[in-house]
Amino acid sequence: MLFYEEKDARETLKLRSLKKGEYHQDYPLYTVVRDNDKCIRCLACVRQCSYEATFYDPVRNVIYNKDEACVGCLRCVAICPTDAITVKRNDTKYRENENWREETIKAIKKQADFGAARLTGLGNDKGYKIYFDHMVLDASQVTNPSIDPLREPMELRTFLGRKPDSVKVEFRNGKLHLKEKIPPQLKLEVPVIFAPMSYGSINFNFQAALAIAAREAGTYFNTGEGGLHQKLREFGSNAIVQVASGRFGVDIDYLEAAAAVEIKIGQGAKPGIGGHLPGEKVTADISRTRMIPEGSDAISPAPHHDIYSIEDLRLLIYAIKEATRYTKPVSVKIAAVHNVAAIASGIARAGADIIVIDGFRGGTGAAPTIIRDHVGIPIELAIAQVDQRLRDEGIRNWVSLIAAGGIRSSADIVKIIALGADAVYIGTAAMVAVGCTLCQQCHRGICAWGITTNRPDLAKRINVDIAAEQLYNLLRGWAIEIREMLGLMGVNSIESLRGNRLKLRGVGLTQEELDVLGIKHAGLQ
Amino acid sequence: MKVVFPIEERCIDCHLCEVACIVEHSETKDPILAYMVEGLSFNEEWSAFTPDPHEALEAGKPKPLNRTRVRNNGAGVSFSMMCRHCEEPKCVEACKNGSLYIAEDGRILLNEDKCVGCWMCIMACPWGAISRNPTRGNVKGLERTAISHKCDLCPDREIPACVMACPTEALIYIEKEEIKNYEVRFSR
Amino acid sequence: MRYVLVGNSIAATGAIEAIRRVDKDNEIVVISDEPHFVYTRALIHEYLASMVTEDMMYYRPRDFYEKNGVTPLLGRKAVSVDFEKKEVKLEDGEEIKYDKLLLATGGKPFIPPGIEDLAKIRYFTFTKWKDADELREAVADAENIVVLGAGLIGLQCVDGLLHMGKRATVVELADTILPMALDRKASDIIKDALEKEGVKFYLNNTITKVYHRNGELKEVQLKSGERLPADILVIAVGVRPRTDIVMDTKIEIDRGIVVNELMETNIPDVYAAGDVAQGKEIITGIKMVIPIIPVAYAHGKYAGFNMAGEERVFPGALSMNSLQFANIPVISYGFIKPPEGSEELTYFDPDRLIYKRILIQNDRIVGALFLRAVDRVGIFRYLIERKLDVTSFKEHLLKDDFDYPYLPKKYRLEMWREPY
């Protein structure tokens, strides 16, 4: 906690400086307004602010804010026992300019001061068209009856993995038997998986909560590229483990522990670039889990240096399959980019069982802002194209498709499944469920909500049991909503919705967009 | 018997348990009044020692008193500690004139009319669970004699206020016998 | 089966409460030469100055004897014990049979030899309710009050007198005040504060002779040669175990009645507890008399359990004190004088007038003293009693907010597993 002390007055009450590197040519984005009549000086806000934006001055007995440090995470608002705090957008604005917007000017000023690439967390926040919000669902009326999910069975169970081209059966001893073995499958009770978030980018507590919730809800969580902590190995049957370009934490036990293995090629938030966990964040525990020396930088190269072609990818896929004796599906995760459909086709042919397409609104623990905001394509378009391409090539049944990046609600899930996905990854939504307010400071490692931080005092802000319950509740709520939506469309299983684009109509989309999505405009039969 | 047990792996050092405690034991039971109005009648001299001697001393402003206190080592370890309502309470053994007593339900309570403020209990309690209450002194001619002050497990409530207030459930209300075996499985 | 307790104070109460936790039926007889319901002697100085009411003096609720099935024989002095016949003989000749006997006779004021003519005057001691009543009456129009002894009792008496508007003069043999509870630095701070309130101190000194006129005290002669005018003399140089009723018996007496770790004396079915008993000290393991309330109660409690048949081993007593003089609270534990080979950690802040001193021997804390900053110091009792190695957090010991979180995780876990 930060207290005013005479000798440190210059530090805490620091006057704004125009010095180079001190970044004060700018106005703060937020102002914290405290109702003095309500504030009881319990100092909870001071203790909770991890961005050093809130101070207590015992001399005047007031709490004040250094607004330029405030990131608008609203932790203080949430913790204040008397609701005395409001965080407002600063009324000060640069002169209106449609071309030179505030964020652009601020970015330039900051960069002029620091001379480095700006980093950020979370997903693309720019105002690109959100196709989910331009698609509506069909409903049954009179001629085709809707189904009441409260009375009729409604199947949400989904199997992910390669499906055989045809099913051959034989009678033995009067019973029906499959003639060929079905390749390994992941069984999901809800078509939602927790997205890859590595231990390191998030803390142990949150990952443990994801694991518990996944097990409770009958689905999976993805370890990301940070390895699987020994304490979480018991959740292996609900874990999808990643093999990424850094190969962190990968050994045979890691692969054996998991339900499925995922080769991470790209990430929606930062397609084509690697990752970098600074050495100071590699604590003893993280170093053990990632299997790298304590304090050393954890660098994930941009490409896998052994994968330069589909053939190379095939080698890795089969290396993993061999290692796990063909008992686990292997998934390949790529970012949604322009030629995603062709790449997906190649991946399917390389032997992957699952393809994950990560759209450009997908989150990240840290990425250069400029890349996050300007690279990649929306997931809706990518899934529609990939699904269509795989169907056209007659290999759709070879792989399951997981859509990631920008799934915000159960409606998004229904829409993306109607566009051709089998299931979805949720990352940001999972974080929001446990407190995240999308302040986009994940890269700083001091998340006030205790999610994207490994500082022990902050990580404690996630209570594993509470967080697991919240995550489970979210999945449960979404499952109920999905059942309702299926019912009103007259569909009684999620299988029947997959790729069923007739259930979708576009609103306010151009013909080009409608063609890419493969849907009709609203109003057309 | 049930007591409040802190789980250090979950404590986020927000001190809302202290706020809840103060409010629960205030006259108005309203946080704003409890702090800003009731708090003003405190003895200036003694404010230097409670709830945190040095915080309050610097502040020059008396603050109301909490019966639990978040202890912190400044390096990420914190937990709120209050009376453990021991079966063989050291404070009761040390109390000069029997002001502290074991109630029939097992709680350790203070007879506030009898306490003379000798602080034998503060000396005796290994948990540091008893503090000084400068709002009241029973010894004539000795305004300094603050009486003792300790957790009473909120007699008006089914579950103590601090437990209800803790945002991360770092305080739990649990049978004494279960504490020994209580383990936080996944928090670290 | 009959339990007989000689003495009616803290240790006896501890024994009654412990016996009743095990044995709800058998008779308990309490014998005391004082007529009072069980009261606390630690408050007689405040009672002297009428600062506390009579009600606050009583150690237990007034229905304590009834509720616990105790037969009190109050105002009746026990004069001797016959261990063969298992009888306690009272002054009035009655003989009380016992099956289990607890000697909790406490202490009696020590009157130092070598004060000439002391026998010819009326002097006061200050350990009982009666003493306070008598002293209050006597000092009503006294001008010059001399207190011999600057120990706890002496200074409490002085403190009480101060609140009555009487400024006493203190004569002490040692060169510091409260030598049993304070080190020199703390002693000086308290002494300065008391001097500011008008108390005069003659340290390194004692009274060698008293001058009187017809038995009425006029002056006292100090060792240093000075003569002080005196109307009232209070002798408070300390207490000695009150072992009179078992003098000249086979019971083992060293400084007090020697007890083993079950609080038994060397005589079967005879136990001793409180200020009269010489039991195990926790740091050294040596048997010594520690005349403080928590120890008296603990002695009584363990004796009670063992008398009632539930064997409980007394872990040992820790000497500790909580004092307040002149608005300055002090709490101390364990050793005051640094034992050989010990390390001393001190902290002194003259602005806040906070003084702390910790003695460490063989990586264990053996003594701790806190002046003014007394909140939450109980952890030191824990550290001393559990004999925990403090090396790993030694640098934090003197911090303002030193508390359990500073302990290593292993200790914290043990702390919570502690039965309570």
Side-chain angles (χ1 to χ4, degrees), chain B residues 46-67:
Chain B
W46 275 97
S47 68
F49 288 102
T50 47
D52 178 321
H54 315 303
E55 253 171 54
L57 190 72
E58 277 172 44
K61 283 259 180 180
K63 274 191 195 167
L65 295 162
N66 38 289
R67 292 156 195 245

Side-chain angles (χ1 to χ4, degrees), chain C residues 4-5 18 27 31 81 109 121 149 186 207 221 247 251 258 291-292 301 325 330-331 344 351 377-378 382 415 417 419:
Chain C
V4 174
L5 319 181
E27 188 186 2
I31 303 169
V81 186
I121 59 152
I207 296 171
Q221 168 77 51
M247 270 299 165
I251 203 161
V258 180
I292 59 170
K301 184 175 89 177
F325 292 108
V330 184
I331 287 179
E344 199 175 319
D351 298 334
V377 295
Y382 182 82
M415 182 267 286
R417 305 249 149 102

Side-chain angles (χ1 to χ4, degrees), chain B residues 8-9 49 54 71 84 88 93 96-97 114 117-118 123-126 132 140 144 179-180, chain C residues 21 40 51 56 58 301 312 322 324 327 333 352 381 400 403-404 409 412 415 417 420:
Chain B
E8 64 170 66
E9 287 88 348
F49 288 102
H54 315 303
R71 332 280 175 96
R84 293 165 74 164
E88 309 215 346
E93 292 182 12
K96 257 186 190 178
N97 67 346
K114 203 173 171 190
C118 66
M123 168 187 82
C125 175
R132 297 179 279 174
K140 243 182 285 163
R144 64 181 166 93
I179 291 175
K180 244 181 285 168
Chain C
R21 276 169 66 174
T40 181
M51 292 151 78
M56 286 154 87
Y58 293 114
K301 184 175 89 177
R312 285 217 195 181
S322 166
Q324 305 154 63
N327 273 6
Y333 299 95
R352 295 185 289 165
R381 175 184 190 173
D400 285 347
D403 216 318
Y404 284 95
K409 177 130 192 174
R412 296 202 300 272
M415 182 267 286
R417 305 249 149 102
Y420 65 94

Side-chain angles (χ1 to χ4, degrees), chain C residues 278-324:
Chain C
Q278 184 175 346
K280 189 179 154 197
E281 198 271 345
I282 198 162
I283 301 174
T284 57
I286 297 169
K287 288 183 181 175
M288 50 176 86
V289 176
I290 304 174
I292 59 170
I293 287 177
V295 172
Y297 188 95
H299 272 180
K301 184 175 89 177
Y302 281 89
F305 277 122
N306 288 311
M307 287 163 79
E310 186 179 317
E311 190 177 302
R312 285 217 195 181
V313 175
F314 182 61
L318 175 65
S319 163
M320 48 188 162
N321 283 288
S322 166
L323 324 164
Q324 305 154 63

Side-chain angles (χ1 to χ4, degrees), chain A residues 463 465, chain B residues 2-7 10 80 82 153 159-160 162-164 166 168-175 178-179 182-184:
Chain A
N463 172 331
D465 295 336
Chain B
K2 275 187 161 183
V3 292
V4 181
F5 175 62
I7 301 165
R10 290 179 179 169
S80 182
M82 69 215 72
L153 285 178
I159 294 173
C162 51
V163 176
M164 298 297 283
C166 182
T168 50
E169 293 177 12
L171 291 174
I172 54 172
Y173 197 41
I174 182 174
E175 286 292 336
E178 290 169 27
I179 291 175
Y182 190 88
E183 261 180 60
V184 187

Side-chain angles (χ1 to χ4, degrees), chain A residues 56-191:
Chain A
Y56 177 56
D57 178 356
V59 177
R60 290 178 294 147
N61 192 26
V62 293
I63 299 168
Y64 66 95
N65 278 77
K66 243 168 83 178
D67 285 340
E68 65 268 29
C70 177
V71 300
C73 75
L74 308 185
R75 180 72 183 178
C76 53
V77 176
I79 208 82
C80 178
T82 56
D83 294 331
I85 306 173
T86 322
V87 177
K88 287 187 178 158
R89 277 305 288 254
N90 197 338
D91 289 340
T92 309
K93 286 272 166 6
Y94 291 114
R95 189 190 168 107
E96 297 79 4
N97 189 321
E98 291 287 328
N99 188 30
W100 289 92
R101 292 189 302 270
E102 183 188 45
E103 63 200 58
T104 319
I105 302 170
K106 276 183 164 292
I108 290 178
K109 284 180 178 294
K110 190 172 176 182
Q111 217 151 16
D113 232 25
F114 288 101
R118 285 175 296 129
L119 281 180
T120 187
L122 234 60
N124 193 329
D125 62 356
K126 291 291 169 287
Y128 295 100
K129 189 177 249 178
I130 301 164
Y131 289 94
F132 284 127
D133 297 345
H134 291 272
M135 288 186 285
V136 289
L137 294 171
D138 188 23
S140 306
Q141 297 295 306
V142 186
T143 53
N144 50 346
S146 52
I147 302 169
D148 185 346
L150 293 174
R151 294 186 176 78
E152 310 276 339
M154 194 61 73
E155 192 64 81
L156 290 193
R157 187 173 291 168
T158 306
F159 288 92
L160 301 183
R162 175 174 290 242
K163 311 288 185 297
D165 291 336
S166 59
V167 181
K168 298 190 180 88
V169 293
E170 61 179 2
F171 272 105
R172 249 187 292 131
N173 307 330
K175 277 190 176 170
L176 208 56
H177 288 277
L178 284 174
K179 237 179 158 179
E180 282 169 15
K181 220 179 141 199
I182 298 279
Q185 305 283 323
L186 293 181
K187 182 174 146 193
L188 277 62
E189 299 299 333
V190 273

Side-chain angles (χ1 to χ4, degrees), chain B residues 3-6 8-9 45-46 48-51 53-54 57 69 71-74 77-81 84-88 90 92-100 104 113-120 122-132 138-142 144-145 176 179-183, chain C residues 10 21 40 42-43 45-46 50-53 55-61 67 156 159 163 293-294 297-298 301-302 305 312 320-329 331-333 352 354 372-379 381-382 385-386 399-401 403-406 409 412-413 415-420:
Chain B
V3 292
V4 181
F5 175 62
E8 64 170 66
E9 287 88 348
E45 189 197 339
W46 275 97
F49 288 102
T50 47
H54 315 303
L57 190 72
R69 188 185 157 79
R71 332 280 175 96
N72 191 338
N73 74 350
V77 180
S78 61
F79 47 86
S80 182
M81 220 168 144
R84 293 165 74 164
H85 297 270
C86 309
E87 221 147 89
E88 309 215 346
K90 300 264 200 294
V92 174
E93 292 182 12
C95 181
K96 257 186 190 178
N97 67 346
S99 322
L100 283 162
E104 272 165 22
D113 297 329
K114 203 173 171 190
C115 177
V116 295
C118 66
W119 303 327
M120 293 287 274
I122 292 180
M123 168 187 82
C125 175
W127 321 125
I130 303 180
S131 52
R132 297 179 279 174
N138 289 329
V139 177
K140 243 182 285 163
L142 270 185
R144 64 181 166 93
T145 334
K176 267 188 203 173
I179 291 175
K180 244 181 285 168
N181 307 318
Y182 190 88
E183 261 180 60
Chain C
I10 314 290
R21 276 169 66 174
T40 181
L43 282 181
H45 62 295
E46 295 189 340
S50 309
M51 292 151 78
V52 294
T53 61
D55 275 346
M56 286 154 87
M57 297 281 289
Y58 293 114
Y59 187 54
R60 285 293 179 261
K67 271 201 171 162
Q156 282 188 337
D159 195 49
H163 283 278
I293 287 177
Y297 188 95
K301 184 175 89 177
Y302 281 89
F305 277 122
R312 285 217 195 181
M320 48 188 162
N321 283 288
S322 166
L323 324 164
Q324 305 154 63
F325 292 108
N327 273 6
I328 302 174
I331 287 179
S332 66
Y333 299 95
R352 295 185 289 165
I354 283 174
R372 269 170 76 94
V374 299
D375 287 307
R376 301 180 309 284
V377 295
I379 182 172
R381 175 184 190 173
Y382 182 82
E385 286 190 343
R386 296 299 177 286
K399 280 192 177 165
D400 285 347
D401 62 346
D403 216 318
Y404 284 95
Y406 283 100
K409 177 130 192 174
R412 296 202 300 272
L413 285 175
M415 182 267 286
W416 288 115
R417 305 249 149 102
E418 203 64 20
Y420 65 94

